[in-house]
Amino acid sequence: MKRSNLTKIAVASTAVMATLASPAIAMADETTTTDNQTKQAIAQAQDSVAQAQQSTTEANQAIAQASPTGVTEAQAKADAAAAALDTAKQNLDNAAAQQQTAANNQQQAQTNYDDASKAQQQAAQDATNTADKIAAAQQAANNASKAINDANKAMQQASAGQSKAEAAKQTAQTAKDEATAESASSSEAWQGPDRYRSRPTSRPRTRRRTADQADTAISDAQKEAGRADADAKQAASDKAAAEKELAEAKKQQASTTGDKTKADEAVNAAQAKLDAAKQAEAKALEAKQKADAKVEQLSKDDGGLSDLAAKLEAAKKAAADAAAAQQKAEQAQKDADKAVSDSSSNAEAKQQAAADAKSEADAKKEAADEAQDKLSQGAVAYFGDKGASQAVKVLTDPTVTEYLDAIHNGAKGDATTLDNMIEALKFIQEANQLRAKEGLQPLKVSDTLMAQAMADADYANNNVNHPLQFSASENLAWGYTDPFKGWYDTEKSMYEKDMSDGVLDCKASDGKPVKPCAYGHYTTLVNTDFTLTGFGVSQNGNITGIGGNTHSQLFTENANGIGSDAGRIMDVDAYLADLTAYRDSLTGADAAYQTALSKSKQAAQDASDAAKALAAAQQTAAAAQALHAGTIQQQLLTDETGSDQEPEKKGWFRKFFRG
């Protein structure tokens, strides 16, 4: 807006200068019209100035009353200020144009007066000099006659000079031709071997000098001839001019008397015209002085346009700053809201994850506690989980097991620990391998027989005899690391020695007694009628002199031989795999719990961090919302207080934004 207005002002100024430089020529009889136009222009200029001042005042009032609270209102006030400025400037431009018209009219009146004054002076001078002109005309006639005579003489002298110059020119040309011919001949005569060319004599040089002199003489003769021609032409021209002057002098002399009368009349007319122009010039000068005073006033007081323009620029800048600040605040609000939304979603997810992790950890802890409890129970827990109720009774019910007090379920070293139970199953695998060597079928495992073998092993820890509390065949061993070393290896050797004669009679084939004659464990192990087994292992043997390991293996022909519920009957490999997986699940429960606990702690920390991030995002959003609500006014107040170098703009900001 400001730039376009400045352009308008510059164009107007150019137009004024052009008008001043090229004023129209006014006649003296236009004085009254010019005076009226001047007065009218001054009146219009005054009105325009008044309108401009009023527009400026209204604009200032509109700005002073403005109290923007946002970008829209700030922009509206800036637009209103711009419109007011345009109106004020237009009024001022009109006033300037009208004032210029008054100035032009005054200048024209001055020109008219000057022209009339010059005309009057010239007429008076013409009348005064009429007699002198008559005498001058007579003298001019005489002078012309004399000039004619002088011109005739000059023409004769010029003709003689022409002839003389032409003769000199011809003489010089002849001398040049001779000198040129002689120089050429000498040059040919002296052309010889190269050794002589470097030694020219003085003769050719003299001849060249003669030729140059001839050229100079020709040139001088030509110049002289040219001057003679010019003199002749000038003489002819002077004669013609003199003849013309003579004719004019005679004509002037004849009309001088009539011109004297006309000159007197022109003096009178010019004097009257001068008087009228003088009056018109005085009125136009007065009008111009008034117009000049008004122009000076306008130049000193532009109706507040400069201040209004500065205010407009400040308003536009304030509106632009407010718009930018609002846009920035809106973007900050959007970013903050998104951050809150994202943080909220993240916090909820982390909270849910923490809750899930805690639930999982609680479940794992419960499972770990249960597992630890089951580990402490040993075989009882296993049999219970597998539905082997009779096996559980064997280890817990005094009505089923006579020597129940010998059993310490799950205690370290007791046959009922899961580790010893697994060790027992491995011995059954070894037994089946030995039976396989004998061509026998593998023994299957019964839950009840396993429990009974554990009870017997615990009993045998303190007793070197069979408890006979269950209806099953039994092998016992004390102090062996591997009981099959005695049950199979040693006793098979004795058995084969006794059978060397084909009869089991405790005698060898040579008739000598076999001592000791004990191989019942071997024969029990390889009994073809047995199909089911159970095994017990304990490290709590307390037999004096033996101590250490106690082993018990029970055998039956079938499930009916157990005398009660046999429980599950399984291949030893499958039974071992099932028991091992069960034990590992229990021993791994605590590790699973610790892992779940660690995950739960981390999830809780993540949830806490997410909650803190959410709180921070909410604070940021609140700050952004406050910035969004008050950023425009804050920006404007900052601009107001920061304009120390422009006190006028500072005051206007206070009016504009505080009202």
Side-chain angles (χ1 to χ4, degrees):
M1 182 68 70
K2 184 177 181 181
R3 184 177 297 174
S4 63
N5 290 330
L6 293 176
T7 303
K8 292 179 181 177
I9 294 173
V11 172
S13 299
T14 304
V16 170
M17 294 176 63
T19 303
L20 294 175
S22 305
I25 300 176
M27 303 302 293
D29 57 358
E30 297 176 348
T31 302
T32 302
T33 302
T34 302
D35 184 54
N36 292 333
Q37 292 175 347
T38 301
K39 293 180 179 179
Q40 184 179 1
I42 293 174
Q44 293 176 350
Q46 292 174 342
D47 293 339
S48 297
V49 171
Q51 293 175 4
Q53 292 175 339
Q54 180 64 28
S55 298
T56 303
T57 301
E58 294 175 355
N60 287 329
Q61 291 176 351
I63 294 172
Q65 295 173 356
S67 180
T69 59
V71 176
T72 302
E73 190 171 353
Q75 185 62 51
K77 300 304 179 184
D79 294 341
L85 179 62
D86 287 340
T87 302
K89 284 189 175 183
Q90 184 62 45
N91 292 334
L92 183 59
D93 290 341
N94 294 337
Q98 294 166 1
Q99 183 271 339
Q100 186 58 49
T101 301
N104 293 341
N105 293 336
Q106 185 275 332
Q107 186 175 4
Q108 186 61 57
Q110 179 68 48
T111 301
N112 293 341
Y113 173 77
D114 293 341
D115 292 343
S117 179
K118 292 179 181 178
Q120 188 273 339
Q121 293 175 2
Q122 186 62 47
Q125 185 66 35
D126 291 342
T128 302
N129 295 334
T130 302
D132 294 337
K133 290 182 179 180
I134 295 174
Q138 184 60 51
Q139 183 63 42
N142 295 335
N143 292 338
S145 297
K146 184 178 182 298
I148 292 173
N149 294 329
D150 293 339
N152 287 329
K153 293 179 181 180
M155 289 176 64
Q156 293 175 359
Q157 293 176 357
S159 177
Q162 284 179 326
S163 299
K164 185 178 179 181
E166 186 65 29
K169 177 181 178 182
Q170 186 63 40
T171 302
Q173 184 63 46
T174 302
K176 178 183 178 182
D177 293 342
E178 292 177 355
T180 300
E182 186 176 357
S183 177
S185 177
S186 177
S187 179
E188 287 180 4
W190 286 93
Q191 295 296 321
D194 292 341
R195 65 179 179 272
Y196 297 112
R197 291 182 181 177
S198 62
R199 299 180 182 178
T201 63
S202 60
R203 188 183 300 170
R205 185 179 299 147
T206 301
R207 290 168 180 167
R208 284 196 300 272
R209 190 164 51 248
T210 301
D212 292 341
Q213 291 173 352
D215 288 337
T216 301
I218 292 172
S219 177
D220 293 341
Q222 289 176 340
K223 292 179 181 179
E224 186 64 28
R227 285 193 292 272
D229 290 338
D231 292 342
K233 291 179 181 179
Q234 185 62 45
S237 177
D238 293 343
K239 181 181 180 181
E243 291 175 347
K244 184 177 181 180
E245 289 178 1
L246 179 60
E248 290 295 330
K250 290 180 179 181
K251 184 179 179 181
Q252 183 68 28
Q253 189 177 16
S255 62
T256 301
T257 302
D259 292 340
K260 179 65 168 67
T261 302
K262 294 180 180 180
D264 292 338
E265 294 174 353
V267 169
N268 296 330
Q271 185 62 48
K273 193 173 184 178
L274 176 62
D275 294 340
K278 187 174 182 179
Q279 293 177 0
E281 190 271 340
K283 293 181 181 180
L285 179 60
E286 181 181 359
K288 181 181 181 300
Q289 290 174 348
K290 293 181 180 179
D292 289 344
K294 186 56 66 177
V295 170
E296 183 178 0
Q297 178 183 355
L298 290 174
S299 63
K300 293 181 179 179
D301 182 9
D302 60 358
L305 289 180
S306 298
D307 184 60
L308 185 60
K311 294 175 181 179
L312 173 60
E313 287 300 311
K316 291 170 63 180
K317 183 179 183 301
D321 292 344
Q326 185 181 36
Q327 184 178 6
K328 184 177 180 180
E330 289 177 351
Q331 186 61 46
Q333 180 70 60
K334 292 179 181 178
D335 294 341
D337 291 342
K338 186 177 184 303
V340 170
S341 178
D342 294 343
S343 298
S344 179
S345 299
N346 184 58
E348 291 177 359
K350 290 294 193 300
Q351 188 66 36
Q352 185 61 47
D356 294 342
K358 186 177 184 306
S359 297
E360 182 179 1
D362 292 343
K364 293 290 186 190
K365 184 177 187 307
E366 184 177 353
D369 293 341
E370 184 179 357
Q372 186 60 43
D373 181 65
K374 290 181 178 182
L375 284 172
S376 66
Q377 296 179 41
V380 173
Y382 176 72
F383 289 139
D385 288 341
K386 301 301 180 178
S389 59
Q390 186 60 32
V392 173
K393 290 179 179 181
V394 170
L395 299 176
T396 60
D397 192 346
T399 63
V400 177
T401 302
E402 182 177 358
Y403 304 109
L404 189 64
D405 58 349
I407 302 172
H408 303 89
N409 287 307
K412 183 179 180 181
D414 196 86
T416 58
T417 65
L418 296 180
D419 289 340
N420 278 343
M421 192 175 176
I422 290 173
E423 187 71 15
L425 290 171
K426 292 179 179 179
F427 281 123
I428 292 176
Q429 288 179 325
E430 184 178 358
N432 284 337
Q433 292 173 357
L434 296 175
R435 284 174 61 86
K437 292 172 63 176
E438 302 291 334
L440 302 177
Q441 293 294 320
L443 300 172
K444 291 183 181 294
V445 181
S446 165
D447 288 328
T448 301
L449 284 177
M450 286 292 295
Q452 292 175 351
M454 296 176 199
D456 283 358
D458 284 344
Y459 169 81
N461 281 326
N462 297 295
N463 300 278
V464 187
N465 55 60
H466 294 278
L468 301 177
Q469 54 186 344
F470 306 112
S471 59
S473 298
E474 182 179 39
N475 285 340
L476 287 175
W478 293 264
Y480 281 92
T481 301
D482 184 356
F484 294 107
K485 297 295 183 184
W487 290 348
Y488 183 85
D489 294 343
T490 298
E491 291 191 13
K492 180 181 179 180
S493 177
M494 289 188 293
Y495 176 81
E496 291 177 344
K497 188 176 181 180
D498 189 359
M499 281 293 291
S500 61
D501 58 358
V503 180
L504 289 177
D505 54 1
C506 293
K507 295 180 180 178
S509 59
D510 58 1
K512 294 181 179 180
V514 177
K515 296 183 180 179
C517 185
Y519 39 79
H521 300 96
Y522 168 73
T523 57
T524 299
L525 178 61
V526 298
N527 190 320
T528 58
D529 294 330
F530 293 151
T531 61
L532 301 179
T533 189
F535 207 108
V537 180
S538 176
Q539 291 86 32
N540 294 333
N542 197 30
I543 303 300
T544 304
I546 300 175
N549 298 326
T550 303
H551 299 87
S552 171
Q553 186 173 11
L554 298 181
F555 306 87
T556 64
E557 294 180 357
N558 49 53
N560 293 329
I562 299 176
S564 60
D565 183 10
R568 297 175 302 165
I569 297 176
M570 303 171 60
D571 292 335
V572 63
D573 293 343
Y575 202 109
L576 178 60
D578 184 75
L579 178 60
T580 301
Y582 180 82
R583 182 201 59 181
D584 291 346
S585 68
L586 297 181
T587 57
D590 185 70
Y593 165 64
Q594 295 299 328
T595 300
L597 181 62
S598 178
K599 290 175 60 178
S600 178
K601 291 180 179 179
Q602 184 60 52
Q605 183 62 48
D606 293 343
S608 176
D609 294 342
K612 293 178 181 179
L614 175 59
Q618 289 173 337
Q619 292 179 353
T620 302
Q625 187 174 6
L627 177 63
H628 189 191
T631 185
I632 305 302
Q633 185 175 2
Q634 183 62 39
Q635 178 66 37
L636 297 175
L637 292 176
T638 301
D639 291 342
E640 175 188 340
T641 57
S643 304
D644 297 336
Q645 298 180 355
E646 298 180 338
E648 295 182 0
K649 291 185 178 180
K650 178 179 179 180
W652 176 77
F653 269 106
R654 187 157 45 247
K655 292 180 181 179
F656 188 86
F657 293 109
R658 292 185 179 176

